[in-house]
Amino acid sequence: MAEPVTQKWSSQIPGGPLNEREFRQWRELLEHRVGIQITEQRRRFLQTNLSLRMKEIGCGDYQSYYNLVVDSTSGLMEWDTLVDRLTVQETRFFRDPAGFDLVRSYLRSRKPRSKAFNLWSVGCSTGEEPYSLAMVADQELGQSSPCRWSVTASDISQPALSKARAGKYPQRKLQTVEPDILETYFKCEEGWCQISDYLKDRVCFIRMNVLDIDKSPLGDFDIIYCQNLLIYFRRWRRKEITNHLAKHLAPGGLLILGSGELTDWHSTELTRISSESSLAYMKQKA
Ligand SMILES: C[S@@+](CC[C@H](N)C(=O)[O-])C[C@H]1O[C@@H](n2cnc3c(N)ncnc32)[C@H](O)[C@@H]1O
């Protein structure tokens, strides 16, 4: 996957190459606070993004920048900016068609027996995934139907969440979206498409670190959709997060992960269900 390096390495950028101690220090901080693993292959990515940020704020060396991030109270704001730079936010509408097919058939089959559906997009990035879920929910549950539904969408990146809340996307990012969906849920002009207020009102964006799910006050969900997030974590952590997600699944609920993101995970309460390219589990009914 391409890393979002914003600028080519140049001699004017402060910091220079990260030495072993500095690399280890930053790597440990990121893994401890965010869970993401910075492998040796991503060292250059870390170095480039740290240096670019240090240049922006006029900080000359990695250690001073590290101290700023961990020590001072203003470090909290700086940390937010840095996390945004160091997380991969690549996403698109209806990214995994098989995953959305699962959501569609689940809602269709449950609709006659349920009055309300709560969906959760975990690691929602700039909103394309939760809005896609909302479009499927609206199509299946209908605007005039007695079924209520809502989508909760969470991410660690504040800038990504701001873009998600704005719900405004360049038209070129919607080339793969079906024309009838475009017509129903977007208003497009001058190369930009705005999500309809109707849909926006049903999607609630919140800031949440997946490492803190166990402390979250969120209730239970009928569908939890978490794709392309666990891949950045170590295997033991993927399992731990999935255990926490499973606890937030309502009886009979559906958990959808990305294909290959979790291996060797078992739960006494959840059963694996077959899907073309997604990894999905269903919780036993009460
Ligand atoms: C590659 S995007 C995936 C977006 C979307 N789920 C998809 O599949 O298209 C990964 C997202 O996970 C978020 N993320 C990374 N670490 C996180 C953490 N510890 N807690 C919450 N979100 C995190 C990033 O900010 C980013 O928006």
Side-chain angles (χ1 to χ4, degrees):
M1 189 181 295
E3 303 282 20
V5 173
T6 33
Q7 195 179 313
K8 288 238 161 60
W9 184 258
S10 99
S11 54
Q12 289 107 43
I13 293 176
L18 279 166
N19 65 33
E20 281 314 311
R21 188 191 54 78
E22 291 162 341
F23 179 53
R24 201 174 51 246
Q25 180 170 261
W26 280 103
R27 194 154 91 154
E28 284 172 6
L29 183 70
L30 282 158
E31 186 152 355
H32 175 68
R33 287 192 178 182
V34 189
I36 52 174
Q37 221 188 326
I38 304 285
T39 55
E40 191 57 45
Q41 292 76 32
R42 297 182 78 214
R43 185 186 186 124
R44 185 66 180 264
F45 162 77
L46 173 68
Q47 187 176 284
T48 305
N49 281 287
L50 285 176
S51 301
L52 287 170
R53 182 59 192 155
M54 283 156 55
K55 187 177 182 210
E56 280 169 18
I57 61 166
C59 184
D61 64 278
Y62 293 117
Q63 190 59 50
S64 307
Y65 185 50
Y66 182 88
N67 294 344
L68 170 83
V69 166
V70 296
D71 292 345
S72 64
T73 39
S74 61
L76 285 177
M77 275 172 71
E78 185 51 34
W79 174 248
D80 281 357
T81 306
L82 188 62
V83 165
D84 179 61
R85 304 284 174 91
L86 295 176
T87 46
V88 177
Q89 282 151 14
E90 183 187 327
T91 185
R92 56 185 180 274
F93 286 97
F94 298 98
R95 182 173 188 175
D96 171 26
F100 289 100
D101 284 349
L102 276 178
V103 171
R104 193 179 288 285
S105 47
Y106 177 88
L107 294 175
R108 200 170 282 177
S109 67
R110 299 293 159 118
K111 185 181 168 185
R113 283 170 282 145
S114 202
K115 284 199 171 63
F117 289 91
N118 297 316
L119 292 79
W120 182 11
S121 161
V122 186
C124 66
S125 187
T126 42
E128 288 86 336
E129 180 180 279
Y131 286 130
S132 302
L133 287 171
M135 291 171 208
V136 173
D138 188 54
Q139 285 180 324
E140 289 307 320
L141 306 174
Q143 297 180 24
S144 56
S145 127
C147 257
R148 284 177 289 114
W149 61 269
S150 69
V151 177
T152 299
S154 61
D155 202 279
I156 199 170
S157 162
Q158 207 61 276
L161 288 168
S162 298
K163 286 184 197 151
R165 286 189 188 104
K168 195 172 177 183
Y169 301 94
Q171 197 152 7
R172 62 183 158 71
K173 285 198 82 183
L174 291 140
Q175 274 161 1
T176 52
V177 175
E178 301 281 337
D180 60 322
I181 289 194
L182 206 56
E183 171 104 354
T184 311
Y185 299 110
F186 293 88
K187 188 164 182 266
C188 299
E189 53 190 14
E190 293 174 7
W192 289 87
C193 295
Q194 175 70 57
I195 291 273
S196 71
D197 286 343
Y198 168 79
L199 213 65
K200 257 213 270 181
D201 289 348
R202 281 156 184 79
V203 182
C204 173
F205 291 97
I206 55 168
R207 180 154 197 231
M208 189 196 285
N209 186 340
V210 276
L211 302 190
D212 297 332
I213 289 180
D214 55 331
K215 300 177 207 117
S216 132
L218 288 177
D220 286 354
F221 291 87
D222 302 289
I223 297 178
I224 299 180
Y225 201 96
C226 178
Q227 290 196 331
N228 304 301
L229 167 60
L230 296 180
I231 37 167
Y232 300 104
F233 300 143
R234 288 187 194 275
R235 289 185 191 285
W236 67 265
R237 216 190 271 279
R238 297 181 196 190
K239 290 183 188 173
E240 192 175 88
I241 293 168
T242 309
N243 286 334
H244 291 312
L245 291 176
K247 284 189 191 141
H248 281 280
L249 210 53
L254 179 66
L255 171 65
I256 302 179
L257 307 174
S259 168
E261 288 187 299
L262 187 71
T263 48
D264 198 24
W265 180 79
H266 305 283
S267 154
T268 49
E269 286 186 299
L270 273 71
T271 312
R272 173 105 187 250
I273 56 170
S274 68
S275 160
E276 233 177 76
S277 70
S278 307
L279 181 59
Y281 298 87
M282 195 168 284
K283 197 167 191 172
Q284 286 161 15
K285 292 183 185 136

